[in-house]
Amino acid sequence: MSVSEGEEGGLFRAAPSDNSQDLLDNPTKTVATGSTPEDQASPVVDEASPSSASSFEMLDMESAHAPYQEVQPHWFFCRRADDNTSWLPFSREDSDKLENAFTNISDEGEEDTVVAVEGQRYDVHVKERKRHAVYWEQAPSEVRRCTWFYKGDKDTRFMPYPEDFSKDLEEAYRKSVTSDEWKKKLDFPTGETVILHNPKLIMQYQPIGLQDDWVSSPSEHTRPRTVKRGVDNISVEIPDGEPEKVDHVVFMVHGIGPACDLRFRSIIQCVNDFRSVSLSLLASHYKRAQQEGQVGRVEFLPVNWHSALHGDATGVDEDIQRITLPSISRLRHFTNDTLLDLFFYNSPTYCQTIVDTVASEFNRLHVLFKQRHPEFSGTVSVVGHSLGSLILFDLLTNQRDESQARQGISGEPCHLNCNTLEQTLNRLGLQQYLDVLQNENLDLESLALCRDSDLKDLGIPLGPRKKILNYVRRKWLPEDCRMGAVCQAQGPQLQPEVTSTQDGNESSGLPPQQFHLHRPQSVTSAVDYEYFDVGIGQANGGIAKGQVSIDYPQLEFHPQTFFAFGSPIGMFLTVRGLKRIDPNYTFPTCKSFYNIYHPYDPVAYRIEPMIVSEVDLEPMLIPHHKGRKRMHLELKDSLTRMSMDLKNNVLGSLRTAWQSFARLPVAALPPGEGGETTTEKTLEETQASAAVTASTKREDKGANFWTKILAWSSAIHRHYFRGGFDEAESSESVEEREHREIKMGMLNGGRRIDYVLQEKPIESFNEYLFAIQSHLCYWESEDTALLLLKEIYDNLGVAIEQPQQ
């Protein structure tokens, strides 16, 4: 709720400085400092200035005597950022809950009452007056029950008084109202002086000793503060309360570095902004569904892995700092804190830390949310920005579905062939390693579960251990046990065409560019995953050439949709050696995937060309949240179409002129003369008729072209100022039908994957200037948030509503 300050400003200017100074300088008009507010509230009589009955007394005469009414308190919380301190109000619903809890606290010995506020993301300890975060680590913030507020000349908003100070002011105000005696002066032990001129004009004066030293003007020393009673009399925007019903939960993972936007805000602040944008879009695009109770809200929760990686547990920051050069310290600090995260993720040691942190945070947040919302029965989605999207891609790639999980925990022994370990090694010509394996109590079953690194630790060279692992997994384990033996390797694997060589071993017969990404279920024979150097992101044992395998933990939930913002997934997959993704591949536990990016984002890469390489497809254009294409893009498309039409008409006119010029002249002879036959005459007449018809068509086409040009401005006016026109809608529908006919694979259930945002008009002037901003724009993008909401509520059967412009 917002109140205009125009009246307040008028009252502020009406206070004469000479009268105020006289009130402060005359010691006979006040009671000694340190007395109670009842004693301090003494009437002030101005005997020195006969002209003092100016604006103050006019306000007194205008103000009618009204009975005293108790002030309605509102609860605020403190937010500290660097050196700035601001007080923000709770919503009216949360403030009422806190006030009810406050009034019910009667005994000092009772335990503190805890009230969940802000969508149950924070808990307020009422007696302690502290606000604690629930889902993430954050320092407790102060909470205050506010009734009186002040604002100085240079302040931008009203600040609440401490509760004790407000209580004294309220008591003095009550006495003045009940006795109808004003112009009272209150002195407080801290040195502040408050003068109650009338119910609408109350001023606070700072003691001169507390003024800034550089202030030299006497009038500036006594410049007062405006004092207001009650939250309804100040200019403050009280936020709307959030619906209690939660339809869906979205976990959001950040990218490199601790800051997520150009304002160097944390992932918590950016997710708070994204949540606010989604709430406003729900109110505008799902208004009817909200009124009918079909739509509640979507909860967005941040997942922070950077603090765990750079914390004291790893000690990596201290190690990096010891080898960092002292020059250009700010730039080096920025590099160590942000860009090095890319190298950490490609390091086997710290990659395991990052993956474990993200998975454990997912599971912890999911369990905690279910505890605080026991009635929740919806689904969960995940969002990854920049490097966070790659972490999620690798994590979801290596999940197990229910059938694989049951197979992995069933405990049923694999019935191996009756051949012994000795017979197997003799067949491979590797009997010299029998003693080494027997010393470790290895049999064929346990050998099939070994990784390349395990045999390497036993001192077996590369060639023999490859032969052993490949032979055991392919020859001796039946198909169901082969799947169980590699049940931890659930990621997409490279499946080459296998051919036999002269030495009996098997090798790939396909060049690297023909490797495909396959699900484990589609593998009909066990493949030695150790052969393929695909880098981080493959399952256990899927990393060769010095790379240590990563043990990917399992999530306790199955995500419904995976959204990638500004994602480098396509680039990393290509660098890892994946040239093409099998159209049949899908995440084991997640059935939908969207790759969302800004056209100028320098970090983003596409995914669809890795699935459908034979067709050059444009990405899907994300609609503007107001239901139209941006004007500069529409004008660009219109100019492109007009230039093509103009080019075609000019070329057609030149072709016609050239044909007329090249046609040979024919003498006008009477019929039958010159040996002309009837057949030749008929042929010439037919050609002439065809030429006339073609010329008429060209003239009609040219006329239609210029008609379209003349009608172009009116069409733009109809489209942007009268709600759109049918031609654009029909062209878009044709384009959508063409996109639906293209088989895009199963990574997103056969639907399109790449979605591009519309750049702003100012961004189109210089794409390099806005490149960094384009990579960080997703947290405040209404178009991005609306795409997420549309995907979520489409699955719930709730259609989007186009707001009226």
Side-chain angles (χ1 to χ4, degrees):
M1 180 176 180
S2 178
V3 182
S4 173
E5 296 186 40
E7 184 179 355
E8 300 166 9
L11 293 175
F12 180 83
R13 289 190 298 270
S17 60
D18 55 349
N19 187 34
S20 303
Q21 183 67 34
D22 181 65
L23 290 172
L24 292 174
D25 295 338
N26 194 341
T28 64
K29 300 177 185 178
T30 183
V31 184
T33 300
S35 58
T36 62
E38 291 83 352
D39 299 332
Q40 297 173 14
S42 58
V44 178
V45 181
D46 189 359
E47 299 176 354
S49 177
S51 62
S52 62
S54 56
S55 58
F56 293 156
E57 297 186 2
M58 291 175 63
L59 290 171
D60 286 340
M61 291 185 292
E62 292 177 358
S63 60
H65 178 66
Y68 170 78
Q69 293 182 353
E70 188 176 356
V71 63
Q72 295 297 324
H74 195 93
W75 290 72
F76 282 65
F77 64 93
C78 181
R79 175 178 293 174
R80 305 183 189 276
D82 297 332
D83 296 334
N84 298 325
T85 300
S86 58
W87 286 87
L88 303 177
F90 289 101
S91 66
R92 293 197 180 275
E93 293 81 0
D94 290 341
S95 181
D96 293 341
K97 290 192 296 183
L98 292 172
E99 185 64 21
N100 293 334
F102 172 78
T103 55
N104 293 331
I105 297 177
S106 57
D107 189 4
E108 292 292 336
E110 292 183 358
E111 295 183 358
D112 198 356
T113 303
V114 179
V115 179
V117 296
E118 300 183 56
Q120 299 193 29
R121 293 182 298 275
Y122 290 90
D123 284 338
V124 173
H125 297 251
V126 179
K127 294 181 64 175
E128 185 186 2
R129 295 294 198 273
K130 293 294 183 180
R131 167 177 166 266
H132 298 265
V134 174
Y135 295 104
W136 52 81
E137 294 184 1
Q138 184 177 339
S141 57
E142 183 182 354
V143 173
R144 188 174 292 179
R145 183 175 180 263
C146 305
T147 53
W148 286 79
F149 306 86
Y150 68 90
K151 186 178 75 169
D153 248 359
K154 299 180 180 179
D155 296 334
T156 58
R157 63 176 65 187
F158 279 89
M159 302 286 288
Y161 281 113
E163 295 186 30
D164 294 340
F165 198 101
S166 298
K167 185 178 181 180
D168 295 341
L169 283 176
E170 182 64 22
E171 182 63 22
Y173 179 84
R174 184 188 65 81
K175 288 183 174 294
S176 297
V177 171
T178 54
S179 63
D180 197 20
E181 295 181 359
W182 297 97
K183 295 187 178 179
K184 291 185 177 181
K185 179 180 177 183
L186 301 176
D187 285 341
F188 290 86
T190 55
E192 288 89 352
T193 301
V194 178
I195 300 178
L196 286 76
H197 295 286
N198 55 62
K200 295 184 179 180
L201 181 61
I202 302 174
M203 294 292 180
Q204 175 193 353
Y205 298 87
Q206 293 287 98
I208 296 179
L210 298 181
Q211 299 288 338
D212 295 334
D213 296 336
W214 57 270
V215 179
S216 57
S217 173
S219 61
E220 292 182 3
H221 280 290
T222 59
R223 185 168 295 170
R225 290 175 173 175
T226 303
V227 181
K228 290 296 179 181
R229 176 179 181 266
V231 72
D232 294 335
N233 294 322
I234 66 174
S235 174
V236 62
E237 183 178 357
I238 299 178
D240 297 328
E242 300 180 12
E244 295 184 0
K245 177 187 175 184
V246 179
D247 302 320
H248 197 82
V249 181
V250 179
F251 298 137
M252 312 189 79
V253 183
H254 65 87
I256 62 173
C260 297
D261 63 358
L262 290 179
R263 288 179 281 176
F264 297 97
R265 297 185 303 169
S266 65
I267 178 65
I268 298 173
Q269 296 172 303
C270 291
V271 172
N272 288 341
D273 273 359
F274 198 88
R275 187 188 305 110
S276 301
V277 170
S278 70
L279 289 174
S280 63
L281 290 174
L282 284 175
S284 60
H285 290 72
Y286 293 90
K287 183 177 181 180
R288 184 181 305 171
Q290 275 192 336
Q291 294 174 351
E292 296 175 354
Q294 297 179 343
V295 170
R297 65 183 175 91
V298 178
E299 182 61 275
F300 296 88
L301 297 178
V303 176
N304 185 2
W305 54 265
H306 183 270
S307 57
L309 175 65
H310 294 267
D312 296 334
T314 60
V316 62
D317 285 354
E318 297 180 1
D319 297 338
I320 294 296
Q321 187 62 35
R322 284 198 299 266
I323 61 176
T324 302
L325 300 181
S327 59
I328 52 174
S329 58
R330 292 182 181 272
L331 180 59
R332 296 185 189 277
H333 175 73
F334 173 79
T335 302
N336 295 343
D337 210 26
T338 55
L339 299 181
L340 285 187
D341 288 345
L342 289 172
F343 300 98
F344 286 142
Y345 187 67
N346 285 281
S347 165
T349 302
Y350 298 109
C351 178
Q352 188 70 61
T353 301
I354 295 174
V355 170
D356 290 343
T357 302
V358 173
S360 62
E361 279 294 289
F362 275 158
N363 294 332
R364 182 187 68 85
L365 292 175
H366 184 255
V367 171
L368 185 57
F369 181 84
K370 294 284 286 185
Q371 291 176 353
R372 298 181 67 87
H373 299 81
E375 73 286 352
F376 176 74
S377 59
T379 53
V380 180
S381 293
V382 292
V383 171
H385 175 243
S386 188
L387 181 61
S389 63
L390 180 64
I391 299 172
L392 288 181
F393 185 89
D394 293 342
L395 190 61
L396 294 178
T397 296
N398 292 277
Q399 295 298 297
R400 296 195 299 267
D401 59 15
E402 295 180 359
S403 61
Q404 296 167 344
R406 287 194 300 268
Q407 187 177 16
I409 64 177
S410 62
E412 297 180 359
C414 296
H415 302 286
L416 300 178
N417 194 285
C418 60
N419 289 2
T420 63
L421 178 63
E422 182 179 1
Q423 293 173 342
T424 302
L425 293 179
N426 290 335
R427 182 168 300 180
L428 295 176
L430 302 174
Q431 58 273 11
Q432 65 270 27
Y433 300 107
L434 178 62
D435 295 337
V436 177
L437 298 178
Q438 287 181 345
N439 290 336
E440 300 294 332
N441 294 326
L442 291 175
D443 55 10
L444 286 179
E445 183 178 355
S446 57
L447 187 60
L449 298 176
C450 288
R451 296 180 294 183
D452 182 79
S453 56
D454 298 330
L455 299 183
K456 183 179 179 180
D457 293 338
L458 298 179
I460 301 177
L462 176 63
R465 66 175 182 261
K466 292 296 183 181
K467 286 184 179 182
I468 294 173
L469 292 175
N470 186 49
Y471 186 82
V472 172
R473 292 176 180 175
R474 291 182 58 85
K475 191 70 175 177
W476 295 108
L477 290 180
E479 182 176 352
D480 55 347
C481 291
R482 285 199 302 264
M483 294 301 297
V486 294
C487 62
Q488 294 181 348
Q490 298 301 328
Q493 305 296 340
L494 294 176
Q495 186 187 18
E497 180 182 348
V498 179
T499 58
S500 299
T501 59
Q502 294 179 357
D503 57 356
N505 295 328
E506 295 172 346
S507 62
S508 172
L510 289 179
Q513 63 269 20
Q514 297 184 21
F515 285 2
H516 304 300
L517 198 61
H518 284 274
R519 294 182 60 185
Q521 291 85 342
S522 64
V523 180
T524 58
S525 61
V527 178
D528 184 8
Y529 304 106
E530 303 283 341
Y531 279 161
F532 310 114
D533 183 15
V534 293
I536 304 296
Q538 294 304 304
N540 296 346
I543 304 164
K545 296 184 181 179
Q547 294 276 4
V548 180
S549 62
I550 300 301
D551 185 12
Y552 286 96
Q554 300 300 302
L555 302 180
E556 297 179 359
F557 60 90
H558 291 178
Q560 174 180 281
T561 309
F562 168 30
F563 300 95
F565 294 169
S567 173
I569 292 176
M571 182 269 292
F572 271 85
L573 292 181
T574 303
V575 171
R576 292 171 180 176
L578 297 179
K579 301 298 183 180
R580 185 171 179 269
I581 300 176
D582 191 333
N584 295 323
Y585 174 75
T586 182
F587 295 117
T589 60
C590 182
K591 305 306 178 186
S592 298
F593 173 51
Y594 288 87
N595 182 37
I596 303 170
Y597 60 92
H598 191 281
Y600 301 153
D601 190 341
V603 182
Y605 289 83
R606 295 192 60 183
I607 297 294
E608 290 178 348
M610 300 186 68
I611 302 175
V612 183
S613 58
E614 62 275 6
V615 181
D616 186 12
L617 285 177
E618 292 292 329
M620 290 292 292
L621 187 67
I622 299 178
H624 193 271
H625 65 281
K626 294 184 179 180
R628 58 170 175 79
K629 187 183 289 187
R630 292 185 185 270
M631 180 178 293
H632 71 285
L633 296 178
E634 188 64 35
L635 292 176
K636 180 180 178 181
D637 295 342
S638 300
L639 290 174
T640 302
R641 290 194 297 268
M642 187 181 68
S643 62
M644 293 299 297
D645 291 341
L646 181 61
K647 178 181 177 181
N648 294 335
N649 279 273
V650 170
L651 292 178
S653 301
L654 292 176
R655 189 180 299 108
T656 303
W658 174 255
Q659 291 176 353
S660 300
F661 177 76
R663 186 178 300 138
L664 295 176
V666 180
L669 299 177
E673 298 183 5
E676 184 181 27
T677 61
T678 305
T679 304
E680 293 175 348
K681 179 180 179 181
T682 304
L683 180 59
E684 289 181 0
E685 290 177 355
T686 303
Q687 292 176 350
S689 177
V692 172
T693 303
S695 177
T696 304
K697 289 182 178 180
R698 284 192 295 270
E699 292 176 357
D700 294 341
K701 185 176 181 181
N704 293 334
F705 168 72
W706 292 110
T707 302
K708 290 180 180 179
I709 289 182
L710 294 176
W712 183 52
S713 60
S714 60
I716 293 179
H717 178 77
R718 287 198 308 272
H719 178 63
Y720 289 104
F721 302 99
R722 298 184 183 177
F725 54 97
D726 298 335
E727 294 180 2
E729 295 178 356
S730 62
S731 62
E732 291 178 0
S733 61
V734 171
E735 184 179 0
E736 291 178 358
R737 285 195 299 268
E738 292 177 353
H739 289 161
R740 283 196 297 267
E741 294 175 357
I742 299 173
K743 302 298 182 181
M744 196 48 64
M746 299 307 298
L747 196 56
N748 193 25
R751 298 173 296 176
R752 296 296 302 274
I753 299 174
D754 293 336
Y755 285 77
V756 60
L757 292 168
Q758 302 181 39
E759 70 272 16
K760 297 179 181 179
I762 191 174
E763 295 174 345
S764 60
F765 287 105
N766 192 327
E767 56 190 41
Y768 293 96
L769 185 62
F770 295 93
I772 302 300
Q773 179 180 342
S774 300
H775 183 60
L776 306 173
C777 71
Y778 306 99
W779 304 110
E780 298 177 345
S781 171
E782 295 94 341
D783 301 346
T784 304
L786 186 58
L787 179 63
L788 266 68
L789 295 177
K790 184 178 183 302
E791 168 65 17
I792 292 170
Y793 283 103
D794 281 352
N795 293 326
L796 296 177
V798 181
I800 191 173
E801 307 167 14
Q802 187 60 41
Q804 296 181 356
Q805 302 298 323

